[in-house]
Amino acid sequence: MDRNEKNKLREAIGEHVDVSNARLSDDEAVFLNDFIEEYDDKFKGQSTTRQVSHDGWSSEGKYTRTEEYTDTFTDDVGIREDYQFHDDDGQSGGSSREIKDARGILNWFKGHS
């Protein structure tokens, strides 16, 4: 891909996700462009949830923690990761983050392939 093609592709990607400070290979730029073009039909609104349980130890003894991870493709191009945990001893909590930058989206797909 020549420099002009890559700059046009980067501009097109930049209309939907943050590309500042992201060095993209030709393959990554093409992947992101395809992802954005297919977003409304293939990804938007899709959500997956996975749950895991494991035992741990605290000063009060053994407990079981149940963790739930939910990944949702948002209305605008991006991914929201929600995390919740609940311990059988009553502790609970969670967090949420949105991925709306080029490198973050690429890393998410690498981790979920």
Side-chain angles (χ1 to χ4, degrees), residues 36-86:
I36 290 166
E37 287 182 357
E38 298 171 344
Y39 191 80
D40 285 345
D41 296 330
K42 287 180 75 175
F43 297 99
K44 184 177 179 178
Q46 297 294 315
S47 185
T48 57
T49 300
R50 61 195 182 287
Q51 198 173 60
V52 295
S53 293
H54 58 88
D55 294 330
W57 292 91
S58 71
S59 60
E60 297 177 16
K62 185 177 175 182
Y63 66 92
T64 300
R65 172 168 286 185
T66 302
E67 297 176 312
E68 185 175 280
Y69 300 88
T70 302
D71 298 316
T72 305
F73 291 95
T74 57
D75 288 341
D76 294 328
V77 176
I79 304 162
R80 186 180 67 243
E81 293 181 317
D82 296 311
Y83 166 75
Q84 299 286 332
F85 74 88
H86 180 76

Side-chain angles (χ1 to χ4, degrees), residues 25-38:
S25 70
D26 290 354
D27 289 341
E28 290 172 332
V30 169
F31 175 86
L32 283 171
N33 189 63
D34 291 347
F35 169 67
I36 290 166
E37 287 182 357
E38 298 171 344

Side-chain angles (χ1 to χ4, degrees), residues 50 69-74 78-84 94-101 103-109 111-112:
R50 61 195 182 287
Y69 300 88
T70 302
D71 298 316
T72 305
F73 291 95
T74 57
I79 304 162
R80 186 180 67 243
E81 293 181 317
D82 296 311
Y83 166 75
Q84 299 286 332
S95 63
S96 183
R97 78 177 184 126
E98 285 202 18
I99 305 169
K100 295 206 173 274
D101 62 290
R103 182 57 53 199
I105 291 170
L106 290 167
N107 289 342
W108 185 89
F109 275 102
H112 292 83

